[in-house]
PDB file of all heavy atoms in Angstrom:
ATOM      1  N   TRP Y  31     -24.059 113.026  47.808  1.00 98.00           N
ATOM      2  CA  TRP Y  31     -23.180 113.991  48.472  1.00 98.00           C
ATOM      3  C   TRP Y  31     -22.047 113.337  49.270  1.00 98.00           C
ATOM      4  O   TRP Y  31     -20.893 113.790  49.168  1.00 98.00           O
ATOM      5  CB  TRP Y  31     -24.014 114.917  49.363  1.00 98.00           C
ATOM      6  CG  TRP Y  31     -23.290 116.138  49.834  1.00 98.00           C
ATOM      7  CD1 TRP Y  31     -23.218 117.351  49.223  1.00 98.00           C
ATOM      8  CD2 TRP Y  31     -22.516 116.256  51.037  1.00 98.00           C
ATOM      9  NE1 TRP Y  31     -22.460 118.222  49.962  1.00 98.00           N
ATOM     10  CE2 TRP Y  31     -22.013 117.579  51.086  1.00 98.00           C
ATOM     11  CE3 TRP Y  31     -22.196 115.387  52.074  1.00 98.00           C
ATOM     12  CZ2 TRP Y  31     -21.208 118.036  52.123  1.00 98.00           C
ATOM     13  CZ3 TRP Y  31     -21.395 115.842  53.115  1.00 98.00           C
ATOM     14  CH2 TRP Y  31     -20.912 117.152  53.138  1.00 98.00           C
ATOM     15  N   PRO Y  32     -22.283 112.294  50.077  1.00 97.00           N
ATOM     16  CA  PRO Y  32     -21.152 111.711  50.822  1.00 97.00           C
ATOM     17  C   PRO Y  32     -20.066 111.170  49.911  1.00 97.00           C
ATOM     18  O   PRO Y  32     -18.875 111.260  50.243  1.00 97.00           O
ATOM     19  CB  PRO Y  32     -21.797 110.590  51.646  1.00 97.00           C
ATOM     20  CG  PRO Y  32     -23.246 110.910  51.683  1.00 97.00           C
ATOM     21  CD  PRO Y  32     -23.546 111.605  50.396  1.00 97.00           C
ATOM     22  N   LEU Y  33     -20.440 110.601  48.766  1.00 97.00           N
ATOM     23  CA  LEU Y  33     -19.432 110.070  47.849  1.00 97.00           C
ATOM     24  C   LEU Y  33     -18.560 111.194  47.303  1.00 97.00           C
ATOM     25  O   LEU Y  33     -17.334 111.072  47.237  1.00 97.00           O
ATOM     26  CB  LEU Y  33     -20.111 109.320  46.702  1.00 97.00           C
ATOM     27  CG  LEU Y  33     -21.020 108.158  47.087  1.00 97.00           C
ATOM     28  CD1 LEU Y  33     -21.535 107.458  45.831  1.00 97.00           C
ATOM     29  CD2 LEU Y  33     -20.295 107.164  47.984  1.00 97.00           C
ATOM     30  N   LEU Y  34     -19.198 112.288  46.895  1.00 97.00           N
ATOM     31  CA  LEU Y  34     -18.427 113.424  46.391  1.00 97.00           C
ATOM     32  C   LEU Y  34     -17.510 113.984  47.467  1.00 97.00           C
ATOM     33  O   LEU Y  34     -16.372 114.380  47.190  1.00 97.00           O
ATOM     34  CB  LEU Y  34     -19.379 114.516  45.888  1.00 97.00           C
ATOM     35  CG  LEU Y  34     -20.377 114.123  44.798  1.00 97.00           C
ATOM     36  CD1 LEU Y  34     -21.227 115.333  44.417  1.00 97.00           C
ATOM     37  CD2 LEU Y  34     -19.683 113.541  43.581  1.00 97.00           C
ATOM     38  N   ALA Y  35     -17.991 114.003  48.713  1.00 97.00           N
ATOM     39  CA  ALA Y  35     -17.179 114.537  49.808  1.00 97.00           C
ATOM     40  C   ALA Y  35     -15.957 113.668  50.058  1.00 97.00           C
ATOM     41  O   ALA Y  35     -14.840 114.188  50.247  1.00 97.00           O
ATOM     42  CB  ALA Y  35     -18.033 114.649  51.070  1.00 97.00           C
ATOM     43  N   PHE Y  36     -16.138 112.355  50.091  1.00 96.00           N
ATOM     44  CA  PHE Y  36     -14.986 111.474  50.299  1.00 96.00           C
ATOM     45  C   PHE Y  36     -14.010 111.549  49.121  1.00 96.00           C
ATOM     46  O   PHE Y  36     -12.796 111.481  49.320  1.00 96.00           O
ATOM     47  CB  PHE Y  36     -15.455 110.032  50.502  1.00 96.00           C
ATOM     48  CG  PHE Y  36     -15.975 109.751  51.893  1.00 96.00           C
ATOM     49  CD1 PHE Y  36     -17.232 109.196  52.081  1.00 96.00           C
ATOM     50  CD2 PHE Y  36     -15.206 110.032  53.008  1.00 96.00           C
ATOM     51  CE1 PHE Y  36     -17.712 108.941  53.356  1.00 96.00           C
ATOM     52  CE2 PHE Y  36     -15.669 109.784  54.294  1.00 96.00           C
ATOM     53  CZ  PHE Y  36     -16.925 109.242  54.467  1.00 96.00           C
ATOM     54  N   LEU Y  37     -14.530 111.680  47.901  1.00 96.00           N
ATOM     55  CA  LEU Y  37     -13.645 111.828  46.747  1.00 96.00           C
ATOM     56  C   LEU Y  37     -12.870 113.140  46.832  1.00 96.00           C
ATOM     57  O   LEU Y  37     -11.672 113.185  46.548  1.00 96.00           O
ATOM     58  CB  LEU Y  37     -14.454 111.776  45.454  1.00 96.00           C
ATOM     59  CG  LEU Y  37     -15.050 110.422  45.060  1.00 96.00           C
ATOM     60  CD1 LEU Y  37     -15.888 110.564  43.794  1.00 96.00           C
ATOM     61  CD2 LEU Y  37     -13.964 109.366  44.848  1.00 96.00           C
ATOM     62  N   ALA Y  38     -13.552 114.210  47.210  1.00 96.00           N
ATOM     63  CA  ALA Y  38     -12.870 115.501  47.344  1.00 96.00           C
ATOM     64  C   ALA Y  38     -11.747 115.422  48.357  1.00 96.00           C
ATOM     65  O   ALA Y  38     -10.672 116.025  48.171  1.00 96.00           O
ATOM     66  CB  ALA Y  38     -13.879 116.584  47.751  1.00 96.00           C
ATOM     67  N   ASP Y  39     -11.955 114.658  49.428  1.00 95.00           N
ATOM     68  CA  ASP Y  39     -10.949 114.522  50.468  1.00 95.00           C
ATOM     69  C   ASP Y  39      -9.677 113.860  49.948  1.00 95.00           C
ATOM     70  O   ASP Y  39      -8.579 114.140  50.444  1.00 95.00           O
ATOM     71  CB  ASP Y  39     -11.525 113.708  51.626  1.00 95.00           C
ATOM     72  CG  ASP Y  39     -10.547 113.562  52.777  1.00 95.00           C
ATOM     73  OD1 ASP Y  39     -10.047 114.596  53.251  1.00 95.00           O
ATOM     74  OD2 ASP Y  39     -10.295 112.414  53.199  1.00 95.00           O
ATOM     75  N   GLY Y  40      -9.807 113.009  48.925  1.00 94.00           N
ATOM     76  CA  GLY Y  40      -8.638 112.302  48.405  1.00 94.00           C
ATOM     77  C   GLY Y  40      -8.129 112.813  47.079  1.00 94.00           C
ATOM     78  O   GLY Y  40      -7.192 112.242  46.516  1.00 94.00           O
ATOM     79  N   ALA Y  41      -8.737 113.893  46.571  1.00 95.00           N
ATOM     80  CA  ALA Y  41      -8.361 114.402  45.248  1.00 95.00           C
ATOM     81  C   ALA Y  41      -7.309 115.501  45.359  1.00 95.00           C
ATOM     82  O   ALA Y  41      -7.028 116.024  46.443  1.00 95.00           O
ATOM     83  CB  ALA Y  41      -9.598 114.930  44.525  1.00 95.00           C
ATOM     84  N   GLU Y  42      -6.764 115.877  44.215  1.00 94.00           N
ATOM     85  CA  GLU Y  42      -5.828 116.998  44.154  1.00 94.00           C
ATOM     86  C   GLU Y  42      -6.089 117.797  42.884  1.00 94.00           C
ATOM     87  O   GLU Y  42      -6.768 117.348  41.957  1.00 94.00           O
ATOM     88  CB  GLU Y  42      -4.377 116.515  44.176  1.00 94.00           C
ATOM     89  CG  GLU Y  42      -3.910 115.842  42.900  1.00 94.00           C
ATOM     90  CD  GLU Y  42      -2.395 115.600  42.888  1.00 94.00           C
ATOM     91  OE1 GLU Y  42      -1.738 115.888  43.900  1.00 94.00           O
ATOM     92  OE2 GLU Y  42      -1.893 115.120  41.840  1.00 94.00           O
ATOM     93  N   GLY Y  43      -5.524 118.995  42.830  1.00 95.00           N
ATOM     94  CA  GLY Y  43      -5.568 119.813  41.627  1.00 95.00           C
ATOM     95  C   GLY Y  43      -6.974 120.232  41.233  1.00 95.00           C
ATOM     96  O   GLY Y  43      -7.839 120.497  42.071  1.00 95.00           O
ATOM     97  N   THR Y  44      -7.209 120.283  39.913  1.00 96.00           N
ATOM     98  CA  THR Y  44      -8.494 120.739  39.387  1.00 96.00           C
ATOM     99  C   THR Y  44      -9.635 119.828  39.822  1.00 96.00           C
ATOM    100  O   THR Y  44     -10.737 120.305  40.098  1.00 96.00           O
ATOM    101  CB  THR Y  44      -8.430 120.818  37.859  1.00 96.00           C
ATOM    102  OG1 THR Y  44      -7.355 121.677  37.465  1.00 96.00           O
ATOM    103  CG2 THR Y  44      -9.723 121.371  37.285  1.00 96.00           C
ATOM    104  N   ALA Y  45      -9.361 118.521  39.880  1.00 96.00           N
ATOM    105  CA  ALA Y  45     -10.409 117.591  40.309  1.00 96.00           C
ATOM    106  C   ALA Y  45     -10.872 117.924  41.727  1.00 96.00           C
ATOM    107  O   ALA Y  45     -12.068 117.907  42.027  1.00 96.00           O
ATOM    108  CB  ALA Y  45      -9.901 116.155  40.241  1.00 96.00           C
ATOM    109  N   ARG Y  46      -9.940 118.238  42.598  1.00 96.00           N
ATOM    110  CA  ARG Y  46     -10.277 118.606  43.983  1.00 96.00           C
ATOM    111  C   ARG Y  46     -11.100 119.901  44.009  1.00 96.00           C
ATOM    112  O   ARG Y  46     -12.092 120.008  44.748  1.00 96.00           O
ATOM    113  CB  ARG Y  46      -8.998 118.757  44.799  1.00 96.00           C
ATOM    114  CG  ARG Y  46      -9.210 119.082  46.287  1.00 96.00           C
ATOM    115  CD  ARG Y  46      -7.849 119.194  46.965  1.00 96.00           C
ATOM    116  NE  ARG Y  46      -7.920 119.581  48.367  1.00 96.00           N
ATOM    117  CZ  ARG Y  46      -8.038 118.736  49.376  1.00 96.00           C
ATOM    118  NH1 ARG Y  46      -8.111 117.428  49.139  1.00 96.00           N
ATOM    119  NH2 ARG Y  46      -8.070 119.174  50.631  1.00 96.00           N
ATOM    120  N   ASP Y  47     -10.714 120.873  43.197  1.00 97.00           N
ATOM    121  CA  ASP Y  47     -11.431 122.151  43.165  1.00 97.00           C
ATOM    122  C   ASP Y  47     -12.870 121.952  42.692  1.00 97.00           C
ATOM    123  O   ASP Y  47     -13.815 122.526  43.269  1.00 97.00           O
ATOM    124  CB  ASP Y  47     -10.716 123.137  42.237  1.00 97.00           C
ATOM    125  CG  ASP Y  47      -9.327 123.529  42.745  1.00 97.00           C
ATOM    126  OD1 ASP Y  47      -9.077 123.360  43.957  1.00 97.00           O
ATOM    127  OD2 ASP Y  47      -8.517 123.980  41.921  1.00 97.00           O
TER     128      ASP Y  47
END
Side-chain angles (χ1 to χ4, degrees):
W31 194 90
L33 302 184
L34 303 181
F36 281 126
L37 290 177
D39 182 53
E42 72 170 4
T44 303
R46 183 180 176 89
D47 295 340

